[in-house]
Amino acid sequence: MKVSKKSKVLYIIYIAICFLFFYLPIVITMIYSFNSSKSLTNWTGFSLRWYGQLIDNASVMKAVYVSVTIALFATAISTVLGTVTAIGLSKSRKVIKDVLLNINNLPIMSPDIVTAIGFMILFSSIMMPKGYITMLIAHIAFCTPYVITSVYPKVRQLDPSIADAAMDLGATPFEALVKVIIPMLKDGIYAGILLAFTMSFDDFVISYFVTGNGVQNISIIVYNMTKRTNPTINALSTIVILVIAVTLIISKVVPKKAKGVMKTVIAGMFLILVVISLVLGIKTNNKTLRVYNAGEYIDTDLLEKFEAEYNCKVIYETFDSNESMYTKLMSGAEYDVLIPSDYMIERLIKEELIQPIDWETIENKGDIDPDMMNLPYDKGNKYSVPYFAGTVGILYNKNVVSKEDLKAGWEVLRNKKYAGDIYMYDSERDSFMVALKALGYSMNTTDKKEIDEAYQWLIEQRKTMNVVYAGDDVIDNMISGNKSLAVVYSGDAAYIISENPDLDYYEPEEGTNVWCDGMVITNDCKDKELAEEFIDFMLDNENAMANSSYVGYTSPVKSVAEELAETEYEGVSAYMPNLTAEKNESFGYQELAIKEYYADLWTKVKSYK
């Protein structure tokens, strides 16, 4: 059948659109890896600064090493297991074969989160320390079914008499397997290898739940980086893309004879990685401190400095939310120092999961801002030492939003003049805080009538204002000026304003959430003296200056906060928010019934169309 010229043109356009859809995001990522600005969307000039920072970032380099070695080991082991299993299945009875194939499909069909929780419970129940080995075991387990699925169809295509013929000609069973069967299965095996390596290198969910002791792969590192604007993600992604592209080009261009040499080189590199893994596995420090903190919430150079000063090893891990931190703690993971938020600290105190601080060992305690001490979640600071503090407020464009409109307080977020021009923070607690404060209620209310009114406030806002609920992506969006109003944390506001001076920060007179994250010591702490030395180290003037400058949140060391407010954050009011306003509050501990009531209403708010 003859194809018309018009059909050919339409077909070409369709293919072009498909390629554009698939590859445009990759191209944009690569372009912005050379952006001189920290913005992920606003081009300010060519620069290699993010590649330099990537190379200098020890945690990223370690994550690359973990990802590559885990993927190589998991691929090698799962390929052997999968190939042998596929061959064995071909010789099994039909009933056994059908049962095993259905079992093999279970991990492929099951959601990753189910597999991840299953492994987490397994490792916790047998008291196996989570880390490199547990991640490797999990990766082998979920890669092997994919290898079986790739190899088994090729096994079925083989003539069953081939192995017998080889042995009749003098081959041993092992020689028949290695020299006859496996070469005939090479296409399926290669497909299994590629699939297993890709699945392992790319995995996040399972790795996140089965790791510990500071072992993180690239996926976990990148996930934690997304909590704040971090263009090193673009640089890392570009390098990965280029390595894959070069590998594919070489595989197509290099002559067959040279490919044998390449295989030898790859095998040698693999052996070198094995040796490095064994060497790195040898402990060189007698003292170890396990720190668990939110992602992108510390100047990691300070960890190396602490290790050098106290001749110890810091195992540093990150979490994406207080709730996931609590879940991992309950799963049996052990840490020495945690850095949770105020309401979670109160919960940990009530459940007796943390121990009192010996304030006599905290030499820098006199430098802490009194406004950050003795807050309701930990009266007298028996269990916690302030880490960072701030408020939740309204970030606004001074050229669009009038100060007269801001006098309405939180109600400015329902001013129809700004419909479609508002970001609400995608947080149950903070969104209900906004509504409750706008209505004149306490943000810690347990009165269901008041909570229902707050729910109606949020629903009415959704009906009339066309607001967008955003997470940490609000940072780059506001820097780029995509909207005129946003509910943000003060520390984020300080950074955004430093990048976009057209913006300013406002705290409504009805009051807001004053939050404080703190350093606490768990009951499982192996070395309390070292843990308290770490806490005191973070309060040292020089270290606190570096940490606050890097993260952007208000330092608990008063002199540091004041100095940064006059230098790096001069004119940025969000860096020094009003922590003592009369109507401000801190979130308190919620009973389960109230927590579930809020959660149900929040689900309705988010799903409202």
Side-chain angles (χ1 to χ4, degrees):
M1 187 177 73
K2 190 176 181 180
V3 180
S4 67
K5 187 176 180 180
K6 182 178 180 182
S7 297
K8 288 181 179 179
V9 172
L10 289 173
Y11 178 73
I12 293 171
I13 292 173
Y14 172 76
I15 294 296
I17 291 172
C18 287
F19 271 88
L20 192 67
F21 178 78
F22 286 123
Y23 293 106
L24 185 59
I26 295 175
V27 173
I28 290 173
T29 297
M30 296 177 72
I31 291 172
Y32 275 91
S33 70
F34 299 102
N35 188 12
S36 60
S37 168
K38 200 171 184 180
S39 173
L40 298 177
T41 57
N42 184 29
W43 179 266
T44 57
F46 181 87
S47 174
L48 294 174
R49 64 180 290 200
W50 307 118
Y51 288 89
Q53 287 195 15
L54 177 64
I55 294 170
D56 292 337
N57 192 323
S59 61
V60 173
M61 292 296 101
K62 184 178 177 182
V64 171
Y65 166 77
V66 169
S67 286
V68 172
T69 54
I70 288 283
L72 288 173
F73 291 145
T75 299
I77 297 171
S78 63
T79 299
V80 173
L81 292 176
T83 302
V84 171
T85 303
I87 295 172
L89 282 174
S90 68
K91 302 295 183 181
S92 303
R93 289 188 299 171
K94 187 177 185 305
V95 175
I96 296 175
K97 188 188 303 180
D98 291 343
V99 170
L100 290 178
L101 285 174
N102 285 325
I103 291 174
N104 184 67
N105 289 333
L106 280 175
I108 297 175
M109 301 298 292
S110 299
D112 283 353
I113 188 68
V114 174
T115 305
I117 292 173
F119 274 117
M120 182 182 73
I121 294 172
L122 171 65
F123 294 137
S124 297
S125 62
I126 63 176
M127 304 298 289
M128 186 173 185
K130 296 184 184 71
Y132 192 93
I133 298 301
T134 53
M135 186 188 290
L136 178 59
I137 291 171
H139 279 230
I140 293 170
F142 74 72
C143 285
T144 301
Y146 289 96
V147 177
I148 294 172
T149 302
S150 299
V151 176
Y152 183 66
K154 289 294 181 181
V155 175
R156 291 187 62 186
Q157 295 173 10
L158 291 180
D159 186 338
S161 61
I162 288 179
D164 294 333
M167 287 186 285
D168 288 342
L169 292 170
T172 64
F174 181 74
E175 287 175 331
L177 174 66
V178 174
K179 295 183 177 181
V180 179
I181 302 298
I182 289 180
M184 298 183 73
L185 300 176
K186 64 180 182 180
D187 289 341
I189 293 173
Y190 288 156
I193 288 172
L194 291 174
L195 193 56
F197 185 87
T198 303
M199 293 295 296
S200 175
F201 192 81
D202 181 61
D203 178 71
F204 164 71
V205 176
I206 296 174
S207 301
Y208 188 81
F209 280 87
V210 300
T211 191
N213 289 315
V215 177
Q216 299 180 92
N217 61 10
I218 291 176
S219 298
I220 296 173
I221 285 287
V222 169
Y223 178 72
N224 289 323
M225 280 182 175
T226 60
K227 300 294 107 180
R228 300 293 298 273
T229 304
N230 196 328
T232 54
I233 298 173
N234 291 350
L236 178 60
S237 301
T238 300
I239 291 172
V240 171
I241 292 165
L242 290 176
V243 168
I244 294 171
V246 169
T247 303
L248 289 173
I249 292 170
I250 290 175
S251 67
K252 296 296 182 183
V253 174
V254 174
K256 288 186 177 180
K257 291 182 180 179
K259 287 182 180 179
V261 178
M262 285 182 61
K263 290 178 181 177
T264 304
V265 172
I266 292 171
M269 291 175 63
F270 182 77
L271 289 174
I272 291 171
L273 286 172
V274 172
V275 173
I276 292 174
S277 298
L278 294 174
V279 171
L280 292 179
I282 301 173
K283 293 184 178 179
T284 56
N285 296 96
N286 293 324
K287 298 190 295 182
T288 301
L289 184 72
R290 301 160 299 172
V291 180
Y292 203 23
N293 192 9
E296 291 292 292
Y297 209 39
I298 195 172
D299 180 355
T300 51
D301 289 344
L302 294 175
L303 300 177
E304 296 178 15
K305 183 179 178 182
F306 181 78
E307 288 177 330
E309 285 189 16
Y310 290 88
N311 189 30
C312 66
K313 173 68 177 176
V314 176
I315 296 175
Y316 183 76
E317 292 185 47
T318 57
F319 54 82
D320 64 317
S321 69
N322 284 277
E323 286 68 29
S324 65
M325 178 273 295
Y326 179 82
T327 299
K328 199 161 186 182
L329 202 62
M330 291 297 96
S331 74
E334 294 184 349
Y335 301 98
D336 300 311
V337 177
L338 306 176
I339 306 179
S341 297
D342 39 26
Y343 71 92
M344 185 55 69
I345 293 174
E346 186 175 3
R347 180 175 186 176
L348 296 174
I349 294 171
K350 288 180 181 292
E351 297 181 15
E352 299 181 349
L353 296 172
I354 54 178
Q355 57 180 296
I357 302 289
D358 182 2
W359 280 94
E360 292 298 319
T361 66
I362 310 300
E363 296 179 2
N364 293 303
K365 58 181 177 288
D367 298 330
I368 300 175
D369 188 340
D371 290 342
M372 296 188 191
M373 297 288 284
N374 201 35
L375 296 174
Y377 67 90
D378 183 18
K379 286 287 187 181
N381 287 89
K382 182 179 179 182
Y383 293 92
S384 65
V385 177
Y387 183 70
F388 282 127
T391 61
V392 174
I394 299 173
L395 185 69
Y396 67 97
N397 189 319
K398 295 182 288 186
N399 301 323
V400 177
V401 182
S402 69
K403 290 191 175 181
E404 190 65 31
D405 290 338
L406 287 174
K407 290 180 181 178
W410 293 114
E411 281 295 335
V412 73
L413 300 174
R414 295 205 300 179
N415 186 330
K416 293 182 181 179
K417 184 192 300 185
Y418 306 110
D421 205 18
I422 297 173
Y423 285 118
M424 287 288 288
Y425 199 70
D426 193 359
S427 161
E428 173 192 319
R429 283 176 173 268
D430 293 312
S431 292
F432 270 95
M433 179 277 294
V434 168
L436 287 165
K437 285 296 185 182
L439 293 166
Y441 300 137
S442 167
M443 66 189 205
N444 289 309
T445 184
T446 57
D447 187 329
K448 290 187 177 180
K449 183 181 177 183
E450 294 178 354
I451 298 171
D452 288 340
E453 286 186 52
Y455 164 71
Q456 289 300 326
W457 192 96
L458 292 170
I459 290 295
E460 286 298 320
Q461 186 195 41
R462 296 219 70 173
K463 284 181 182 178
T464 59
M465 299 301 295
N466 190 29
V467 297
V468 174
Y469 279 89
D472 295 296
D473 54 323
V474 72
I475 297 174
D476 202 58
N477 281 315
M478 289 303 291
I479 290 174
S480 301
N482 291 343
K483 294 192 185 298
S484 300
L485 288 161
V487 177
V488 297
Y489 290 109
S490 56
D492 290 338
Y495 166 68
I496 295 168
I497 294 169
S498 67
E499 293 286 321
N500 185 349
D502 289 336
L503 304 176
D504 206 349
Y505 183 71
Y506 174 70
E507 295 168 346
E509 293 182 2
E510 300 101 319
T512 185
N513 168 25
V514 173
W515 56 267
C516 184
D517 296 343
M519 296 175 280
V520 301
I521 300 175
T522 68
N523 286 337
D524 295 324
C525 180
K526 305 295 184 185
D527 191 338
K528 190 184 180 189
E529 181 181 350
L530 186 62
E532 288 172 336
E533 286 173 336
F534 176 79
I535 291 172
D536 191 50
F537 173 86
M538 295 305 296
L539 293 175
D540 174 78
N541 192 283
E542 181 181 335
N543 300 331
M545 177 73 72
N547 203 31
S548 186
S549 177
Y550 179 87
V551 178
Y553 282 86
T554 310
S555 174
V557 179
K558 190 172 183 179
S559 59
V560 168
E562 290 173 347
E563 183 176 342
L564 283 174
E566 294 175 358
T567 54
E568 191 169 334
Y569 292 99
E570 184 181 4
V572 180
S573 60
Y575 181 76
M576 291 286 281
N578 185 0
L579 302 178
T580 59
E582 183 181 350
K583 296 182 179 180
N584 284 354
E585 295 180 85
S586 296
F587 277 121
Y589 177 78
Q590 288 180 339
E591 297 294 339
L592 182 59
I594 289 296
K595 187 184 298 183
E596 290 177 345
Y597 192 73
Y598 271 110
D600 289 342
L601 294 178
W602 177 242
T603 301
K604 293 177 182 177
V605 170
K606 289 299 296 293
S607 61
Y608 182 84
K609 298 272 185 195

